[in-house]
Amino acid sequence: MVILISWRLLNSVAMATASSQKGSRRVLYIAISVVVVVALIAAAVLVVYNPFQQQQKEIIVGLSLPLTNPVGIHARKAAEMAVEEINAAGGVRLKDGVYKLRLVAEDTNEMDPLIPVDQGVAAFKRLIEVHGAQVIVGGVRTDIVVAQTQLLSQYKIVYLDIESNQGIVEAKVKEDYENYKYYFHFFGGGPKSSAGPLIIGFLQKLKELSAKDPNMPDVSKVALLAENALWTVGLAGRPAGNSTFFKRLADLGFKLVYAELYPTTETDFSSYLAKMKAQCPGVVVFLFSGPPGIIFTKQWQDYNWAPCKKPIVFGPGLLGGFSWFWDQTGGKAQGTIWWPSTVRVSVTPKTVQFIDKFKQRYGETPNTAAIDAYDAIYVLKEALERAGTWQADELVKALEQTDYVGVMGRIKFSRDHHGLDFTYENIYRYFGQWQNGELVPVWEKDWPEIKNLLIPS
Amino acid sequence: MAEPVLVIFFYGLITSLIFALYSVGFSLVFGVARVIDAAYGIWYTTAAYLIYALATRFLLPLPAVIVLVVASMAALGISYYSILVRGLKERIEMIMTTFLVALMVQYLIVAIFTNFPWSIPALFPGSTQAFGVSLFNQQVAAAVTAFLLLLVLWYIVYRTKIGLAIRAVAQDREAALLMGIDPDRVMAFTLALSCTLAGTAALLQAPNSVISPVMGWPMLTLAFAVVVLGGMGDFFGAILASFIIGYSHQLITNLVNPLYSMAAAFVAILLVLWLRPRGVFGRSLE
Amino acid sequence: MMVRIGTVHVIGLGALVALAVVPALPGMRAVLFPLTLTNIMATLAIAWNLLFGYAGLLSLGHSFFFGAAGYASAILSKYYGIPVPVAMVLGAAVSSGLAAIVGLPSLKLRGHYFVLVTLVLPAVAYQLTNALDFLGGHDGIFGVPPLVRDSYLVYVGSLVMMLASLIASFYVTRSKLGMEMLSVREDEEAAKAMGVDVPRVKLYALTISAFISGLAGAYWAHLNGVISPAVYELEKASVPLLMSVLGGKGTLLGPVIGAYVLQTLFESLKIEAIVMARLFIFAAATFVIYRLFPQGLIGILRRAIT
């Protein structure tokens, strides 16, 4: 930048002393471009210095999200909604006065199939160093979250993870409390919020149902198809199928007839489907988090399964329960069952109210990221008021005292537990099935049997 | 149930036919116009996004989409040649310029459509079975169309006057000039043809799948590989090489591990370049 | 290609001092990370330019050398406890070694086939690092130890690295090897006739370029604390190209100017409306520069001075 400023000075000198005619048009061209460059530099400097900053007391909340992806878009909108409501109701009362919340955002581009982890790290650093964020809210992909949380103790900043489905960092909170205490997890995958036991429960009920109903495929034969990414290691195992989860299933009388990992850049599942069909599975456990999920679903729906019965596709696939998914598959997601599912059920008095308000304002059913982000902001507000300050060490203590009933359910943290707990009521105990554009709840952790199931055909 | 052999046979056939259509376009351009079009991958991508926009955003019916895409790609090829390619003489300059064009177009696509993986619905939904192998109707239609188009292409190149002109220019540009053939027109035609082929391949392959701005680069690399394997400008060499690549991919996906199939393809390319630069058939590298 | 000594050099020195000192001032913390990245990319661009601008070998896959060193350095420092600076140099050496191995068979090929090789190499690297668990697999390697904890020192380190590469390329281009590289670039046959050992010259150019790229890649890995297969994507391969061509290929400072201009514009064009169009603007600008002003920004500025 400074080199350019020096060159500009040089240019003005050159222009002043240069003769007019020959290079005059070119000089003009150069002068214009130099002015443009300088203007841009000035803009950059202004962004950095931001002289119009903070007229009033503000707490800057940094959103670390994939801003051009449905996950990030919804999370941001929900966060904006929460911040508006809180500020309208008077803001956040700290020891030294009333503060407003202000959101800033950086795009981590996490959902790119090539997962550029460095962009996540850069976004994180920019939020803090350029925007001055005092708390970070965000996190979708496991690897991005793990990379970002590595830096928490360096910056001493609280990190509210809203959407990554893993327990790696929650484990680090236990092992390395001093460096990781700033991390709080608002989604599943942790030790008390694992989808595993829920899925096993669900599959068992499904098997019971298929034993009674001749129209259903034989659910005791399970096929596994998982994307080759960090978050599937626990559930799917390496090589595919070699995990505690599947061992448990085998003990319960399930037979794993097909297990395969696919690369996140996969574009055609014909061969996979052919191999699956050779085994006639009754259910396909599908772990995905990107575009291949759309392709597989479209192809599964159109595939000619005869003489087998078409297997039920079910998955812990983050994006499966998003309305975006229904749209992009052109409705071919009909009959697929997903965890998590933002089913329109009154888990708490706030649940349906929030879903309807979001839908009315933004035109779409909120996805899990929206719900998590909304609750996270409110939990943050409560904790800030409890602590009386936004200083990280105090804020952490206050967050650990959280016992909050939000949109998703009851959120209770403690010194030992910085994550969700599915023993409390929670929307993520539900499994939803796509039926004509709606996610219909088909099972919840405490239900004795499956309801409303549509058999795919 | 289907034997794996049949599965590999059919899926390999489908992939290879469509890919052959695509890579012949690259081979022709390389051999005839002596142009290495580093933007060939992006034409595939452009066509795919065009299909997406027409079919999904403008909701045009199938025949209209096909006509518009083919026509646009042909026009694109001609203007691409006239405005840009014609002036490029030296190989490296050519690659650099076309690479920059590819980047520009790719980022333009990103600017308009974002990186979001849009889904194109199948133009021919549903599926059928052949010998126990389930085939999507989209795939069947694509394979049949690709086969017919390859026949048409063969006919054009080997049985028509313009085809004769193309082959003449490919062999010896000066001699062709002396024979009264206008190499400029021939090259423009070839470029239009190649862009159209890229567009057609997209029409056949992209539906029932998902598009992304970078989807064209593996296509370009593999098309380049076809030229290396089969010799540039060699119609049958290109087809044969496409089949080799297509079937190898299917074999590894089905018999070994789908995680390695692309790696295997690329490693194979490197090995051929290093060990047998004259190509598998011994045709001279120019 | 000779630059006028005197005013320009004084200004250059002033700019250097400014670059080193200004970011240390209070309130400038925000520029540290982007500027560090800029220096890393400038180093990569210098390396790329050495190969293309001077030796005439076009590489569309320099991300291969960048990433390979990054991985090597990450693995060496994280799993084998090797101190970071040493690991970085070793990583660059690994890149160089790989360059020599792939260079021997590849440099014999015609120019355009060499380009194909450079296109394929990062693709292979991506697929392999993605599939192989011991290379971190799809999600890469985490917990890569940083060079130092202080962001300012990290920044200064990057500045030093960039300058070192600049000086190195200065000496290479002024040396006998440099002259030979130029003669190969101009006319390979004529060079051969004059007794230049063309294969050797090309190999040296490639390995030196790979080493410098490797340093940049290793620095990048330690800056982020993480490296994943995504490092092999087209972006890291096309950015040095854009920077060098924009700034002035075949010149010493071109890549650096290009790097700073691109990065500055990148940061300042963070306005919602054109964020998506930024890359398009760069590519288009580079295209225009390449066709109309092959000497790049440096060429334009030089003409303004003289």
Side-chain angles (χ1 to χ4, degrees):
Chain A
M1 276 194 272
V2 182
I3 293 179
L4 282 149
I5 296 175
S6 347
W7 240 293
R8 171 203 162 221
L9 289 170
L10 201 59
N11 262 309
S12 346
V13 167
M15 275 188 276
T17 53
S19 56
S20 51
Q21 31 86 331
K22 196 171 99 169
S24 63
R25 189 185 291 165
R26 203 174 271 165
V27 168
L28 180 66
Y29 167 90
I30 292 165
I32 293 174
S33 50
V34 160
V35 167
V36 167
V37 168
V38 169
L40 287 169
I41 294 172
V45 173
L46 275 175
V47 163
V48 168
Y49 272 110
N50 205 350
F52 309 116
Q53 213 176 34
Q54 286 174 309
Q55 308 290 48
Q56 44 177 179
K57 295 202 188 140
E58 284 184 331
I59 296 175
I60 301 176
V61 177
L63 296 177
S64 162
L65 296 166
L67 294 177
T68 55
N69 180 279
V71 178
I73 293 172
H74 273 219
R76 185 185 198 172
K77 286 183 176 164
E80 283 169 0
M81 236 168 83
V83 166
E84 265 175 35
E85 289 168 7
I86 293 173
N87 285 344
V92 182
R93 175 163 294 281
L94 299 185
K95 273 185 230 164
D96 58 335
V98 172
Y99 282 66
K100 298 272 187 200
L101 291 175
R102 183 159 73 90
L103 290 173
V104 292
E106 279 282 342
D107 194 348
T108 57
N109 222 350
E110 283 167 82
M111 305 311 288
D112 189 309
L114 296 179
I115 310 183
V117 186
D118 60 299
Q119 274 187 257
V121 173
F124 180 84
K125 289 189 181 181
R126 265 198 273 271
L127 281 171
I128 302 171
E129 292 179 359
V130 178
H131 298 282
Q134 292 146 300
V135 177
I136 304 288
V137 173
V140 183
R141 296 221 55 134
T142 303
D143 30 359
I144 304 279
V145 170
V146 174
Q148 290 173 330
T149 51
Q150 276 176 168
L151 303 167
L152 290 180
S153 60
Q154 191 182 332
Y155 288 102
K156 292 221 185 320
I157 190 164
V158 162
Y159 186 99
L160 303 181
D161 177 353
I162 56 154
E163 194 77 345
S164 77
N165 184 20
Q166 46 81 22
I168 300 172
V169 192
E170 278 188 54
K172 288 220 167 96
V173 172
K174 281 218 175 69
E175 297 161 10
D176 190 1
Y177 182 77
E178 272 315 304
N179 285 321
Y180 281 89
K181 64 185 180 184
Y182 308 95
Y183 172 83
F184 290 84
H185 194 196
F186 287 78
F187 193 55
K192 296 194 187 162
S193 58
S194 170
L198 289 175
I199 296 173
I200 291 183
F202 174 69
L203 285 173
Q204 274 183 293
K205 297 291 178 193
L206 206 60
K207 184 153 79 93
E208 282 170 28
L209 193 62
S210 86
K212 285 187 273 182
D213 185 343
N215 289 323
M216 273 184 71
D218 180 6
V219 173
S220 69
K221 290 165 74 174
V222 178
L224 166 70
L225 184 61
E227 75 176 15
N228 184 25
L230 195 59
W231 72 277
T232 65
V233 172
L235 213 58
R238 296 286 188 273
N242 184 18
S243 68
T244 346
F245 174 79
F246 279 97
K247 283 201 183 60
R248 180 96 181 91
L249 277 185
D251 290 339
L252 292 167
F254 288 89
K255 185 153 173 276
L256 185 64
V257 296
Y258 170 90
E260 190 98 70
L261 294 172
Y262 69 86
T264 53
T265 46
E266 189 61 78
T267 51
D268 178 31
F269 286 92
S270 311
S271 304
Y272 300 78
L273 288 164
K275 275 197 254 183
M276 249 187 239
K277 186 172 119 163
Q279 307 296 329
C280 269
V283 64
V284 178
V285 177
F286 182 47
L287 282 75
F288 88 95
S289 66
I294 301 173
I295 302 174
F296 175 76
T297 306
K298 288 202 288 189
Q299 293 189 326
W300 157 80
Q301 189 73 259
D302 273 354
Y303 205 68
N304 190 311
W305 289 93
C308 301
K309 291 207 185 85
K310 186 183 229 163
I312 297 172
V313 166
F314 151 71
L318 184 67
L319 306 175
F322 287 14
S323 50
W324 156 88
F325 187 72
W326 176 263
D327 294 332
Q328 287 302 304
T329 55
K332 298 229 171 124
Q334 175 88 335
T336 53
I337 302 173
W338 301 103
W339 180 92
S341 277
T342 51
V343 287
R344 192 172 172 279
V345 166
S346 287
V347 181
T348 76
K350 295 185 184 169
T351 315
V352 174
Q353 192 191 32
F354 170 76
I355 293 177
D356 289 346
K357 182 172 176 190
F358 189 95
K359 185 154 189 187
Q360 195 190 36
R361 178 162 165 174
Y362 295 114
E364 288 176 346
T365 316
N367 58 37
T368 54
I371 291 178
D372 302 344
Y374 188 80
D375 278 346
I377 300 279
Y378 269 96
V379 163
L380 176 66
K381 182 231 181 207
E382 265 200 9
L384 281 167
E385 293 192 328
R386 244 197 309 275
T389 170
W390 52 266
Q391 294 298 339
D393 291 319
E394 297 299 312
L395 188 55
V396 166
K397 291 205 188 83
L399 279 165
E400 286 171 347
Q401 292 165 5
T402 300
D403 190 347
Y404 174 79
V405 175
V407 172
M408 70 160 84
R410 183 170 171 206
I411 301 172
K412 187 164 165 17
F413 295 138
S414 70
R415 164 84 173 54
D416 290 326
H417 187 64
H418 284 203
L420 295 183
D421 190 336
F422 286 165
T423 50
Y424 306 128
E425 65 271 22
N426 195 299
I427 197 172
Y428 299 131
R429 290 169 24 160
Y430 283 83
F431 289 68
Q433 182 182 44
W434 279 117
Q435 296 180 14
N436 308 315
E438 290 292 322
L439 271 176
V440 173
V442 288
W443 192 68
E444 197 268 2
K445 182 164 168 275
D446 289 337
W447 289 2
E449 58 182 24
I450 293 184
K451 304 182 200 172
N452 314 318
L453 188 73
L454 180 83
I455 298 167
S457 55
Chain B
M1 302 316 149
E3 292 289 333
V5 169
L6 286 172
V7 168
I8 294 173
F9 173 72
F10 280 109
Y11 292 155
L13 186 63
I14 294 165
T15 336
S16 303
L17 279 170
I18 302 174
F19 184 60
L21 199 64
Y22 178 74
S23 59
V24 165
F26 189 74
S27 185
L28 274 181
V29 156
F30 202 149
V32 176
R34 297 278 189 272
V35 169
I36 301 174
D37 188 5
Y40 198 62
I42 209 73
W43 303 140
Y44 179 80
T45 313
T46 309
Y49 273 87
L50 206 54
I51 298 166
Y52 166 73
L54 292 175
T56 317
R57 300 252 180 116
F58 292 103
L59 298 171
L60 294 181
L62 177 59
V65 173
I66 294 177
V67 166
L68 278 171
V69 169
V70 170
S72 317
M73 296 312 290
L76 181 65
I78 295 178
S79 26
Y80 181 54
Y81 175 74
S82 329
I83 298 172
L84 192 63
V85 175
R86 189 196 295 169
L88 300 172
K89 297 285 179 282
E90 200 266 313
R91 280 286 163 82
I92 298 297
E93 184 197 356
M94 199 183 287
I95 298 181
M96 181 67 127
T97 313
T98 51
F99 182 73
L100 287 172
V101 168
L103 284 182
M104 275 202 293
V105 175
Q106 178 176 317
Y107 294 143
L108 190 60
I109 289 177
V110 170
I112 299 174
F113 293 95
T114 80
N115 273 310
F116 193 86
W118 299 109
S119 166
I120 302 183
L123 301 175
F124 297 92
S127 63
T128 48
Q129 276 207 22
F131 301 100
V133 180
S134 175
L135 301 170
F136 297 115
N137 293 341
Q138 178 71 32
Q139 287 175 318
V140 175
V144 168
T145 315
F147 180 70
L148 291 173
L149 285 177
L150 281 170
L151 281 178
V152 167
L153 204 57
W154 170 81
Y155 187 82
I156 293 178
V157 172
Y158 287 96
R159 288 277 183 278
T160 63
K161 257 170 132 181
I162 184 79
L164 189 60
I166 290 176
R167 282 180 289 136
V169 170
Q171 227 176 20
D172 190 335
R173 200 194 153 134
E174 265 62 48
L177 192 59
L178 288 171
M179 303 240 286
I181 297 175
D182 180 357
D184 212 38
R185 273 190 61 213
V186 168
M187 297 211 222
F189 178 79
T190 314
L191 227 12
L193 191 60
S194 86
C195 283
T196 314
L197 286 171
T200 316
L203 269 168
L204 298 175
Q205 187 133 336
N208 218 21
S209 184
V210 146
I211 58 178
S212 87
V214 295
M215 61 195 289
W217 292 104
M219 297 296 285
L220 171 69
T221 313
L222 291 174
F224 214 145
V226 161
V227 164
V228 168
L229 275 180
M232 33 152 247
D234 188 326
F235 187 84
F236 290 108
I239 295 182
L240 193 51
S242 304
F243 269 75
I244 293 176
I245 291 180
Y247 270 95
S248 316
H249 191 269
Q250 277 301 323
L251 279 166
I252 301 199
T253 302
N254 274 284
L255 300 178
V256 182
N257 192 328
L259 297 176
Y260 296 117
S261 33
M262 282 311 275
F266 291 132
V267 168
I269 297 173
L270 285 177
L271 289 174
V272 171
L273 277 171
W274 290 339
L275 301 174
R276 247 192 101 83
R278 288 183 157 270
V280 170
F281 311 113
R283 291 189 163 76
S284 64
L285 260 206
E286 207 261 18
Chain C
M1 228 132 312
M2 291 297 294
V3 181
R4 240 190 1 200
I5 310 220
T7 339
V8 177
H9 282 201
V10 169
I11 290 182
L13 197 61
L16 188 61
V17 170
L19 273 175
V21 167
V22 169
L25 299 174
M28 293 298 284
R29 190 177 170 202
V31 302
L32 285 177
F33 189 68
L35 276 183
T36 312
L37 273 179
T38 311
N39 287 329
I40 292 175
M41 295 316 288
T43 308
L44 181 61
I46 290 171
W48 183 90
N49 186 42
L50 202 61
L51 196 61
F52 179 65
Y54 287 96
L57 293 164
L58 177 60
S59 158
L60 294 183
H62 247 57
S63 50
F64 176 71
F65 304 117
F66 186 81
Y71 264 94
S73 187
I75 292 173
L76 286 172
S77 57
K78 181 179 176 190
Y79 294 120
Y80 294 93
I82 294 179
V84 173
V86 178
M88 279 175 48
V89 172
L90 286 177
V94 166
S95 232
S96 228
L98 284 171
I101 296 173
V102 304
L104 280 170
S106 313
L107 291 164
K108 286 189 292 199
L109 303 168
R110 285 279 161 124
H112 43 282
Y113 287 106
F114 176 76
V115 177
L116 176 60
V117 170
T118 65
L119 206 55
V120 173
L121 284 172
V124 171
Y126 173 80
Q127 296 290 333
L128 286 179
T129 48
N130 206 350
L132 296 171
D133 281 331
F134 75 86
L135 286 177
H138 179 71
D139 306 288
I141 302 175
F142 297 97
V144 180
L147 181 60
V148 281
R149 287 227 167 247
D150 186 292
S151 326
Y152 175 67
L153 288 179
V154 168
Y155 164 69
V156 170
S158 70
L159 194 60
V160 167
M161 174 178 69
M162 188 206 46
L163 282 172
S165 317
L166 205 53
I167 294 171
S169 62
F170 175 81
Y171 277 112
V172 167
T173 54
R174 294 281 180 282
S175 71
K176 177 160 172 265
L177 177 65
M179 296 300 146
E180 291 177 330
M181 276 163 55
L182 281 176
S183 67
V184 166
R185 186 191 80 186
E186 292 308 316
D187 189 339
E188 210 172 301
E189 296 303 319
K192 213 181 292 180
M194 288 206 291
V196 171
D197 186 350
V198 173
R200 189 182 57 90
V201 166
K202 283 186 176 178
L203 191 63
Y204 284 2
L206 185 62
T207 45
I208 295 174
S209 176
F211 187 83
I212 299 177
S213 311
L215 279 181
Y219 210 89
W220 186 84
H222 292 282
L223 173 71
N224 285 312
V226 80
I227 188 161
S228 72
V231 75
Y232 293 116
E233 66 179 35
L234 192 67
E235 192 215 335
K236 294 289 181 293
S238 54
V239 161
L241 186 150
L242 288 175
M243 288 175 172
S244 298
V245 172
L246 188 70
K249 60 177 167 53
T251 68
L252 274 178
L253 278 172
V256 179
I257 302 294
Y260 272 82
V261 169
L262 270 185
Q263 197 68 27
T264 311
L265 289 176
F266 200 75
E267 293 295 320
S268 38
L269 288 177
K270 273 241 162 80
I271 314 151
E272 287 275 358
I274 46 177
V275 159
M276 276 288 139
R278 279 187 301 190
L279 293 168
F280 172 69
I281 295 173
F282 298 150
T286 310
F287 180 77
V288 166
I289 296 268
Y290 181 69
R291 298 299 294 163
L292 297 181
F293 302 97
Q295 297 302 316
L297 286 175
I298 288 214
I300 298 176
L301 288 163
R302 273 213 196 106
R303 254 170 282 189
I305 302 172
T306 54

